[in-house]
Amino acid sequence: MSLFAAAIDYFVKGGPVMWPLLFCSIATLAIGVERFLYYKQADSGKAFTKEFCNYIENDDWINAKRLADSTRGEVAKLATVVMDRHGNFERLEGFITARAERALDKFEKNLGYLGVMVALTPVLGLLGTITGMIASFNALNERSTNPMAVTSGIGEALITTVFGLCISIFAILFHAYFTRRMKGITMDIEEMSNTLLEAIAKNICDDACGGAKK
């Protein structure tokens, strides 16, 4: 028997609960792949944040702007927008906060569904276990005519439990990985934003002090 045929056979033996578990497995895999591709494209990287902040701290705005323009990702895009924006400091601070929250929302998208899969799939597996055991107990009355009915019900119970736990394990791994990456991206955005705001405030203070001396 081929691997595909064996998988189909186990799926059929698992009973009707295998269908929602199959949907959950497809959804978990789809979210994991989609988030991985998005993070790969939208994460500017810790190296960018470190180099950009070094330029700003050294008052090298030209190279900082050039670096932000040539780097892809949400952090670099936010840095470019902030450096191009003009206005008073209070409005700029609120603008950075709003844009940072909007960027983080993009990174957090669909992660909540992974959390749902972590909790839902073991419950569905448990549901399959219960229905399988019920079928086994009902088959006790027919064991004289169909002795295999008892074992098939137990098999259904075990298959759904294993399948549900496997999906939950993958969902946990995906969720932990993306949560860790999002934490790093959040720190990069905060570091970049604070460095820019401090530099802009310092320049405003220097210009004001210079004007007062004149």
Side-chain angles (χ1 to χ4, degrees), residues 138-150:
N138 290 335
L140 288 175
N141 298 326
E142 306 172 3
R143 63 184 183 276
S144 58
T145 58
N146 186 13
M148 296 300 296
V150 177

Side-chain angles (χ1 to χ4, degrees), residues 39-143:
Y39 274 62
K40 185 178 180 181
Q41 178 184 8
D43 187 3
S44 300
K46 194 170 295 294
F48 161 77
T49 304
K50 183 178 180 180
E51 188 175 359
F52 178 83
C53 291
N54 285 335
Y55 282 137
I56 296 298
E57 289 170 355
N58 293 325
D59 207 25
D60 190 353
W61 292 79
I62 295 177
N63 282 326
K65 183 67 166 60
R66 185 180 297 115
L67 177 65
D69 290 339
S70 61
T71 304
R72 67 180 183 181
E74 292 295 329
V75 180
K77 185 187 300 183
L78 177 60
T80 298
V81 172
V82 171
M83 295 178 75
D84 288 338
R85 187 176 177 83
H86 300 284
N88 61 49
F89 181 77
E90 289 76 14
R91 290 183 179 178
L92 183 60
E93 187 175 11
F95 174 78
I96 292 179
T97 301
R99 291 298 294 260
E101 291 178 354
R102 190 178 303 175
L104 290 176
D105 283 340
K106 294 179 182 179
F107 285 104
E108 196 174 12
K109 180 182 177 183
N110 293 332
L111 293 186
Y113 293 116
L114 280 179
V116 171
M117 296 303 169
V118 170
L120 178 62
T121 50
V123 175
L124 287 174
L126 180 61
L127 177 62
T129 299
I130 294 174
T131 57
M133 295 304 295
I134 291 174
S136 297
F137 290 137
N138 290 335
L140 288 175
N141 298 326
E142 306 172 3
R143 63 184 183 276

